[in-house]
Amino acid sequence: HIGHPTNIPPETLWRLPIWTTWARFKTNINQTRVIQFAHEIIAHAYPHGAIEIDDRWQTHYGDLAFDPARFPDPRAMVDVLHARGFAVTCWVMPFINPDADCFDAARSRSYLLGQTDGSLFPVHWWQGDGYLLDVANVEALQWLGDNLRALQATTGLDGFKFDAGEAIFLGRHEGC
């Protein structure tokens, strides 16, 4: 459904470190801390590589938009990080929590994994209760891709870290 790679990943992904905000701040991140993290890496003369903005960059899990309270100007932040030699990525998970702004649209378009009785397939993950994007639905993948490309266009992000799609979150449910 998604095709095959047309080229190899950039060499820097193999050669330089990926600095994740999770290791330093866990969920306590914001624009100022991310920029300070870059300054600390530079001050210690570590190789720059990429900064991966992990958990809590979104207002709600599933919404592919920076939380404006934590990140008032994500484009400026990414521009600062680029100027200092970093690539910038964000963590993307396959979950959409019910409080997400995109939840109703995803549900009404049948982009969320369902059960045989027509109800949504609930999952409990470490950040609450949510639903899984139905990655077998080509339209759902197109919607996700469109939203990711829009986020890149408005912020200048270089890419994404996709994580947390392990089968353990499927659990054991009747009627699947």
Side-chain angles (χ1 to χ4, degrees):
H1 293 289
I2 60 172
H4 298 282
T6 57
N7 55 19
I8 62 172
E11 179 188 341
T12 57
L13 287 177
W14 311 109
R15 192 171 46 81
L16 296 173
I18 299 172
W19 300 94
T20 177
T21 59
W22 179 258
R24 178 80 164 82
F25 302 107
K26 302 299 184 237
T27 61
N28 191 19
I29 64 167
N30 60 38
Q31 186 165 328
T32 301
R33 285 194 178 104
V34 171
I35 292 171
Q36 179 177 347
F37 188 36
H39 289 260
E40 291 172 3
I41 294 164
I42 293 167
H44 287 92
Y46 294 133
H48 292 36
I51 289 186
E52 180 251 321
I53 302 170
D54 205 286
D55 205 346
R56 296 303 304 164
W57 63 273
Q58 302 168 91
T59 305
H60 303 105
Y61 294 103
D63 286 329
L64 296 175
F66 277 90
D67 179 340
R70 291 174 178 244
F71 297 90
D73 192 346
R75 173 59 125 186
M77 174 188 65
V78 171
D79 288 346
V80 165
L81 296 172
H82 282 162
R84 285 164 179 71
F86 292 93
V88 186
T89 64
C90 281
W91 172 58
V92 176
M93 77 300 301
F95 306 107
I96 298 177
N97 284 10
D99 59 354
D101 294 337
C102 70
F103 176 77
D104 288 334
R107 179 180 51 191
S108 68
R109 296 174 184 160
S110 300
Y111 292 168
L112 302 174
L113 190 62
Q115 301 186 83
T116 56
D117 67 2
S119 65
L120 293 179
F121 184 90
V123 293
H124 182 76
W125 64 296
W126 69 89
Q127 291 294 12
D129 295 315
Y131 300 91
L132 288 166
L133 185 70
D134 184 353
V135 296
N137 181 331
V138 175
E139 291 176 7
L141 289 177
Q142 181 66 47
W143 176 73
L144 174 64
D146 290 347
N147 286 316
L148 291 170
R149 284 184 287 280
L151 179 61
Q152 277 187 295
T154 59
T155 63
L157 286 171
D158 297 290
F160 304 97
K161 172 190 131 180
F162 297 98
D163 185 27
E166 296 87 352
I168 191 169
F169 297 109
L170 295 175
R172 297 182 64 103
H173 291 267
E174 297 294 323
C176 297

